[in-house]
Amino acid sequence: MLRRILKGLATSRALIDADEALRHARELANESRHGEAIARLDHLLSARPDCVDGLVLRASIKRAIRQLAGAAEDVGRAMELAPDDPRCVFELAFVTYLQGDRRLALEYCERLRQASPGDERACTLHAHIQLGGDHYHQLLVRILDFVKPRTYVEIGVDAGDSLRLVEPPALAIGIDPEPRLTHPLRANQKVFAMRSDAFFASHDLRAELGGLPVDLAFIDGMHHFEYALRDFAHLERYCARDSTILIHDCFPLDRETAERDRRYTFWSGDIWRLIVLLRKHRPDLAVHTIGAPPTGLGLVRNLDPGSRVLLEHYDQLCKELLSLDYSYLDADKAGKLNLFPGEWEKVRTLISS
């Protein structure tokens, strides 16, 4: 009896020590003290070589600092112990991608997404591998720096991360019914806490911009096609021919994450329909979808502030596009959404003309 009690206490102590080692290693990794974190896990795994948590964590740290051979070895051992553990499959997909096997990495992502539908990390990695370009936020930084707009309008402000990128002397206006700003606005920035439809019905945007047209706009509001359509049509009225309108979430990952009703954290909604509509009904526009993870970035040029096609035929256009099933994209999603490489040197050519 005493022996069993002592054995149980020893086992409990080992579990506590393992939890403490994992917690400490995570803290060290978060502080970018990667070598110390790995050493802490080395000590743990020398005593507990079957600790899946330790193997996965060490693999993720080695992957982060590009020790890919060691990361692959750790995740391979973890997979032997827990082949269905989503963390193992995710790390295996990530390491495989970094080692250059894009096809196999996508297979692992798909395996993980089938086992855990809507898994945000798996969806994000899948999208990054699929699109391959700069992240949309990084691309927005580059576009702002290159265009140097006098005026910028953003629909869908949320925490204000992208609005904060706009430096003086540019005038920046944000529109969002429930902004959740995490930083104070600068003197050159103003946010209207209202729906975009209400804003355009009650405000003269050109007057708010000191009589200037919209040089650059970013639509990132409701993830429903008809809202983005109205936002685009309203914004175009205040643009010039050489202005640029950007539209987020134009390249959906799959049917499930492109549904109109949100089911998962990773969600693009049906904004893709706007790209299809503009390419069909506004052939005068230059419409591209930039391969910017996670869900693409529409880029529209050659704008016509005098056009009223979209607003005058709004009901008919909505009926047509909302009846279009997602399967329309199955045969050639990249072609139908005019996917363009997301590398900055190539994107720059679109806004240089």
Side-chain angles (χ1 to χ4, degrees):
M1 174 66 74
L2 179 60
R3 184 176 299 172
R4 286 201 300 270
I5 293 174
L6 292 174
K7 183 177 180 181
L9 289 173
T11 301
S12 298
R13 180 61 185 169
L15 290 173
I16 293 171
D17 289 345
D19 289 342
E20 174 62 22
L22 290 166
R23 183 193 62 76
H24 189 210
R26 290 191 186 95
E27 290 178 353
L28 291 169
N30 290 336
E31 296 171 2
S32 297
R33 296 162 64 182
H34 300 112
E36 294 174 69
I38 290 173
R40 188 73 177 91
L41 292 169
D42 287 345
H43 181 72
L44 168 63
L45 289 165
S46 65
R48 293 276 305 282
D50 60 344
C51 180
V52 173
D53 289 344
L55 288 165
V56 171
L57 180 56
R58 191 169 68 177
S60 69
I61 296 171
K62 290 179 178 178
R63 181 251 301 163
I65 58 176
R66 294 302 193 269
Q67 292 184 9
L68 299 182
E73 182 179 352
D74 280 345
V75 77
R77 173 60 180 154
M79 285 290 292
E80 292 175 1
L81 295 167
D84 297 321
D85 189 318
R87 299 168 304 167
C88 299
V89 182
F90 174 79
E91 279 302 326
L92 184 59
F94 210 152
V95 172
T96 301
Y97 168 61
L98 293 177
Q99 288 179 319
D101 195 333
R102 179 176 177 273
R103 180 195 60 78
L104 185 56
L106 286 172
E107 288 183 10
Y108 289 136
C109 283
E110 186 59 31
R111 171 180 165 183
L112 178 55
R113 290 175 58 223
Q114 288 179 2
S116 303
D119 185 294
E120 184 177 12
R121 294 198 310 167
C123 289
T124 300
L125 179 58
H126 193 143
H128 182 84
I129 298 172
Q130 182 184 71
L131 293 173
D134 294 333
H135 188 274
Y136 86 92
H137 197 267
Q138 180 182 2
L139 197 57
L140 181 57
V141 171
R142 293 179 182 273
I143 291 173
L144 282 164
D145 183 63
F146 181 76
V147 172
K148 292 181 171 52
R150 298 166 299 171
T151 60
Y152 171 87
V153 178
E154 180 172 293
I155 298 178
V157 174
D158 195 34
D161 291 340
S162 49
L163 192 67
R164 282 199 302 275
L165 299 174
V166 185
E167 302 278 356
L171 298 175
I173 286 180
I175 306 166
D176 191 309
E178 296 180 352
R180 302 179 300 161
L181 299 175
T182 55
H183 290 77
L185 293 172
R186 297 190 181 119
N188 67 313
Q189 301 165 346
K190 187 174 183 179
V191 171
F192 292 85
M194 58 197 309
R195 293 183 181 276
S196 56
D197 287 334
F199 173 86
F200 287 112
S202 59
H203 291 73
D204 181 341
L205 181 55
R206 187 177 288 270
E208 296 289 346
L209 294 172
L212 295 172
V214 175
D215 287 343
L216 180 65
F218 181 33
I219 299 173
D220 191 21
M222 284 288 292
H223 288 208
H224 288 171
F225 147 74
E226 65 271 26
Y227 286 85
L229 170 57
R230 294 199 299 271
D231 290 339
F232 179 90
H234 287 309
L235 283 168
E236 188 182 20
R237 293 166 48 208
Y238 295 99
C239 288
R241 178 69 70 175
D242 59 350
S243 300
T244 301
I245 295 180
L246 305 173
I247 309 164
H248 197 208
D249 300 312
C250 292
F251 200 85
L253 180 62
D254 55 22
R255 176 186 289 274
E256 288 72 26
T257 58
E259 291 180 353
R260 289 172 62 80
D261 294 329
R262 186 171 193 167
R263 297 171 56 192
Y264 307 112
T265 301
F266 189 99
W267 181 52
S268 62
D270 65 341
I271 304 301
W272 62 270
R273 299 178 197 271
L274 179 56
I275 300 299
V276 175
L277 181 153
L278 294 178
R279 296 192 69 210
K280 178 180 179 181
H281 293 283
R282 290 291 306 278
D284 55 311
L285 298 172
V287 182
H288 296 82
T289 299
I290 310 303
T295 50
L297 185 68
L299 191 153
V300 185
R301 298 267 294 163
N302 197 39
L303 298 160
D304 181 3
S307 176
R308 296 295 181 267
V309 171
L310 301 179
L311 291 176
E312 290 177 357
H313 300 280
Y314 174 79
D315 290 339
Q316 175 186 340
L317 293 171
C318 283
K319 182 178 180 180
E320 175 189 342
L321 270 296
L322 288 172
S323 67
L324 193 64
D325 187 72
Y326 183 86
S327 59
Y328 169 79
L329 299 177
D330 287 345
D332 183 17
K333 180 166 65 173
K336 290 174 179 176
L337 298 178
N338 201 22
L339 186 64
F340 189 86
E343 293 80 14
W344 168 240
E345 292 304 318
K346 296 179 180 178
V347 173
R348 186 170 61 178
T349 64
L350 296 180
I351 53 180
S352 297
S353 56

